[in-house]
Amino acid sequence: MANKSRESETYLVAKEHLPRHVGIIMDGNGRWAKKRGLPRTAGHARGAKVFKEIALYCADRGVKAVTFYAFSTENWKRPPDEVSTLMSLLRDCLEDGLEHYRRKNVRAHIIGDAEQLPASLREMIDEVEKSYTQNTGMILNVALNYGGRAEIVRAVQNIAAEAAAGRLSPESVTEETVEQNLYTAGQPPLDLVIRPSGEERLSNFMLWQSAYSEFWFSDVLWPDFTKDDLERAFRDFENRNRRFGGI
Ligand code: FPP
């Protein structure tokens, strides 16, 4: 159900009732900039600032994992200058985050196909990924050149290769086998998907992982999204009646 109200109660949801894994579709950067007569890239720059704030706040709040949708496999269709600004912004943003991840014990992980990304961004990804193995705190997934369908295809290819090599029989393939071959293998299930900016769709984001997710939508544009908005989503999540197909 959409929650469009920005006023309401202000209590903080207890840590044990928080979603274990939150997915955030950062949307509305372009509209935010347009409203101010600024280039779209100014919206992305502001959006990157909000990403940093919200990511670190999630770590402070005790969320176990959070995934941000930063660049989809479909975003290559944007004008080349917007794509290249986004690439350098993403690189700077990851570099800037390194020290914070160390201090907050955050395990940063890039999900998506890094092959097509510029070399300087790939180098930074290698740097950032070290935190995934070295640290023990919150998992921070950043989806870059990511698509939910492509992720499932990749998992199927890995499983098929195992079967072709005789290491796995087709009958033994289970949901767990697929899960173990996703970028998010071993991570908590996606409990809550947040999408600001008034759009109410998944846009190829974590298709497998969102099977039993709750959704929280808001009209706020991503560059205006605040910790209070996140807390609103948490309060709403706490009051959902999750049945997982039961009664
Ligand atoms: C969607 O808004 C936003 C994006 C495609 C880019 C999101 C990326 C950032 C905020 C940079 C964050 C950096 C890191 C490292 C995560 P839109 O351009 O589709 O907005 P519109 O719908 O208003 O046009």
Side-chain angles (χ1 to χ4, degrees):
M1 189 179 73
N3 181 344
K4 310 220 186 288
S5 165
R6 290 191 100 183
E7 307 90 45
S8 66
E9 306 133 284
T10 52
Y11 72 94
L12 292 186
V13 171
K15 204 169 154 176
E16 60 274 19
H17 294 146
L18 289 175
R20 286 158 296 178
H21 190 161
V22 182
I24 304 185
I25 302 177
M26 300 181 286
D27 198 7
N29 295 348
R31 279 164 283 165
W32 182 91
K34 195 173 171 201
K35 266 169 66 178
R36 287 161 180 77
L38 298 170
R40 292 177 55 80
T41 47
H44 294 316
R46 172 70 191 214
K49 200 165 157 272
V50 175
F51 153 76
K52 281 183 255 177
E53 246 171 58
I54 298 295
L56 297 176
Y57 183 69
C58 284
D60 290 341
R61 273 301 261 119
V63 171
K64 294 205 180 335
V66 58
T67 301
F68 288 86
Y69 205 5
F71 193 88
S72 77
T73 44
E74 287 71 39
N75 286 152
W76 296 106
K77 294 178 198 155
R78 296 185 175 217
D81 63 324
E82 181 170 341
V83 170
S84 73
T85 305
L86 266 172
M87 291 298 149
S88 50
L89 200 56
L90 291 164
R91 194 208 156 278
D92 293 351
C93 203
L94 293 181
E95 182 173 32
D96 188 59
L98 285 173
E99 178 53 22
H100 297 289
Y101 307 152
R102 195 190 58 72
R103 270 195 274 129
K104 299 221 180 239
N105 194 25
V106 165
R107 307 174 62 195
H109 184 41
I110 307 303
I111 65 170
D113 182 4
E115 294 281 303
Q116 277 172 281
L117 299 172
S120 63
L121 183 52
R122 287 203 312 269
E123 281 161 24
M124 191 47 60
I125 288 174
D126 291 344
E127 232 5 81
V128 163
E129 282 286 334
K130 289 180 191 158
S131 71
Y132 197 60
T133 43
Q134 285 164 0
N135 296 344
T136 55
M138 185 187 81
I139 295 169
L140 167 64
N141 298 311
V142 180
L144 280 185
N145 195 22
Y146 172 88
R149 287 181 177 175
E151 181 182 31
I152 294 170
V153 169
R154 176 179 170 271
V156 171
Q157 285 173 343
N158 291 345
I159 295 166
E162 286 297 293
R167 288 190 288 269
L168 189 71
S169 71
E171 308 74 50
S172 69
V173 175
T174 62
E175 291 188 9
E176 283 69 36
T177 321
V178 176
E179 210 278 327
Q180 284 157 13
N181 281 281
L182 299 176
Y183 293 115
T184 52
Q187 299 187 11
L190 189 60
D191 284 330
L192 176 66
V193 175
I194 295 176
R195 182 165 192 162
S197 96
E199 310 291 358
E200 300 188 356
R201 56 179 169 262
L202 206 44
S203 301
N204 205 13
F205 179 66
M206 301 190 104
L207 299 181
W208 179 280
Q209 298 90 334
S210 62
Y212 282 100
S213 299
E214 297 294 323
F215 290 86
W216 194 85
F217 300 112
S218 155
D219 286 336
V220 179
L221 302 174
W222 176 250
D224 288 328
F225 193 88
T226 65
K227 296 170 188 171
D228 287 343
D229 291 313
L230 187 71
E231 290 295 348
R232 268 179 209 104
F234 288 166
R235 282 194 290 274
D236 206 18
F237 173 80
E238 189 187 27
N239 291 311
R240 300 282 174 93
N241 177 13
R242 303 184 80 198
R243 292 189 293 279
F244 300 97
I247 51 172

